[in-house]
Every structure is written in structure tokens, then in C-alpha cells.
Amino acid sequence: IKTINLKKWIFIITAALFAMSAIISLRATTTIARPAPKITIAIDAGHGGIDGGTVGVNTGKDENYLNLQYSLCLEEILKNYNINVVMTRTTLNGLYSPFAENKKLDDMQRRKEIVQKSGADILLSLHMNSFPLSSSRGAQVFFKNGDEKSAVLADCIQSVFMQTLPNARQSTSIGDYYMLNEFDIPCVIVECGYLSNPEEEALLLQEDYKTLVCGSIFVGLVKFLAI
């Protein structure tokens, strides 16, 4: 079984963040004319409210809660590097109207409105995975079929996952989901791991592992922006 050295990879991610911060600062000081416009990243914490998503095989922690915790962690990282962030939700509540007949669809439409009104340049939707076969595991990034920019973004994040996370999937995958199909901007769904796998569920509940996953997403995002 492949093991993980959390301290080692957190150190590597931290070093990468400092290096990128220095590059950003250098570019800022050497830009004489017009500085590049500030980028806005939309973070979508999947599920919410009555839609709890998948449930941890051992602890019963639902995806709604973990998606939000990971999204808030990623938000903090991005803001520390002076990146505009818009969140589709910041509580455990869903976004649907209590009077909506189809609450799932209403929730998705409200997320779409938030992202579009924000003028976001990139959308990252965070989720936890599940599969009947409990041995299935590994973080994986999904993108819309035929969307080249989103495919490149997914590859950038997945390549970092493969270096930093235990049992990360070896490739990205095409996904047919509302949050991928409704936008013209680069957008991906990040499945951070499988709650149906006991060992991975235990990792996903660790604070250090959450920081590692979110730091890896950020490094992948920076790789994409540098292309």
C-alpha cells in the first residue's frame, strides 16, 4: 500500500507557494505600463442542505460538510495570494428556494447565477467521490468533453495530485455534469477522494491532508495560469 509523508509534501507545497509568490512579486515590480487585471476564481462547494451528497463509510460525515471545509481552505489560500474569490456557498445550507418543486435544479441554477454575475475567470467545483467497490480511491479532476481549456486546467491539477497525493488517479476524466456544461469559462470538478474507501476517508478528515489537497489544487491552478 502506498503511504504518504504529509510533512514532506506540505513542505514541498509550501516551498512552491513561496516560489510562486516571489515570481508574482517580481512581475509586479517589473511591470511599468498597465498591470495585469486581477483574476477571479469561483469556488463551488458541491451539494448542501437536504442534498448531503455521499457519506463516509466509517464516520458518516457527509460530503456537504467536507466540500465546504475544503472550499473554505482553498479560498483562504487564494486570498493569501491576493486572488479574488467568489464562493457559491459558505454555509451548510443549500441554495434552493424552499418553494422550489425541483430543489436540485433550483440549487444548480442559483450557483450558475452567482458564478456568472461575479464575472469569474475560472470555476473550481469541489466534491468527494463514492463507489460501491470500497477499494476504489484517488483524487481525480473532471472536465467537459470538447472543452480544451478546461481539459488543460484539469491536467494541470491532476499532474500535481499525482506527485503529492497517495493513489491519485493517473489521468483526468470527462464528466457530463451541470456545473461543467453551463459555463464558457474554464471549469473543472475536483473529486478530492473517495469517502467509500475507509483509508481515504480517514485521510480526507485530517486537517493536514485537507491543506495538502487544497495546496495542490492551487499549484495546479498556477501552472494553468502560467501557460
Side-chain angles (χ1 to χ4, degrees):
I1 299 174
K2 186 178 180 181
T3 58
I4 181 172
N5 187 326
L6 285 175
K7 290 183 179 179
K8 169 189 172 184
W9 285 114
I10 288 176
F11 173 80
I12 291 173
I13 290 294
T14 302
L17 296 181
F18 275 117
M20 285 180 287
S21 178
I23 292 172
I24 292 171
S25 296
L26 180 61
R27 286 178 177 174
T29 58
T30 56
T31 300
I32 300 175
R34 291 172 296 179
K38 198 171 183 181
I39 191 170
T40 297
I41 306 297
I43 302 177
D44 172 54
H47 303 278
I50 60 174
D51 178 17
T54 189
V55 176
V57 65
N58 283 332
T59 66
K61 284 283 187 182
D62 67 16
E63 186 183 355
N64 172 20
Y65 171 79
L66 287 173
N67 291 345
L68 180 59
Q69 296 308 306
Y70 275 62
S71 294
L72 292 172
C73 178
L74 180 58
E75 177 193 27
E76 182 178 2
I77 292 173
L78 293 177
K79 285 187 173 181
N80 283 341
Y81 286 87
N82 201 32
I83 295 175
N84 284 330
V85 180
V86 58
M87 303 283 285
T88 57
R89 69 178 176 96
T90 56
T91 72
L92 293 175
N93 299 324
L95 303 182
Y96 49 81
S97 165
F99 308 106
E101 293 185 7
N102 187 332
K103 289 184 171 55
K104 181 67 175 179
L105 178 59
D106 191 55
D107 183 88
M108 291 291 100
Q109 290 174 339
R110 288 171 183 262
R111 291 169 192 264
K112 177 182 176 180
E113 291 174 4
I114 291 171
V115 175
Q116 289 182 331
K117 288 180 179 179
S118 72
D121 300 288
I122 292 172
L123 169 62
L124 305 171
S125 184
L126 272 55
H127 290 257
M128 304 289 157
N129 220 333
S130 179
F131 195 73
L133 191 64
S134 63
S135 59
S136 295
R137 61 190 301 172
Q140 188 171 32
V141 188
F142 291 78
F143 62 95
K144 181 175 66 176
N145 188 25
D147 186 340
E148 293 184 7
K149 288 186 177 180
S150 295
V152 173
L153 173 60
D155 285 340
C156 287
I157 297 174
Q158 192 70 40
S159 67
V160 179
F161 279 168
M162 290 166 61
Q163 297 176 45
T164 61
L165 305 183
N167 304 296
R169 296 296 175 117
Q170 296 302 299
S171 65
T172 59
S173 184
I174 293 171
D176 184 16
Y177 303 108
Y178 185 96
M179 293 302 285
L180 297 181
N181 296 333
E182 293 296 314
F183 298 97
D184 295 327
I185 59 175
C187 56
V188 294
I189 287 180
V190 182
E191 295 280 1
C192 299
Y194 283 75
L195 291 179
S196 53
N197 180 284
E199 293 179 356
E200 193 150 80
E201 179 200 14
L203 278 176
L204 290 165
L205 292 172
Q206 294 180 19
E207 287 294 315
D208 284 349
Y209 192 73
K210 177 179 68 177
T211 302
L212 179 60
V213 171
C214 293
S216 299
I217 294 171
F218 176 63
V219 172
L221 174 64
V222 173
K223 286 181 63 176
F224 173 75
L225 294 174
I227 294 175

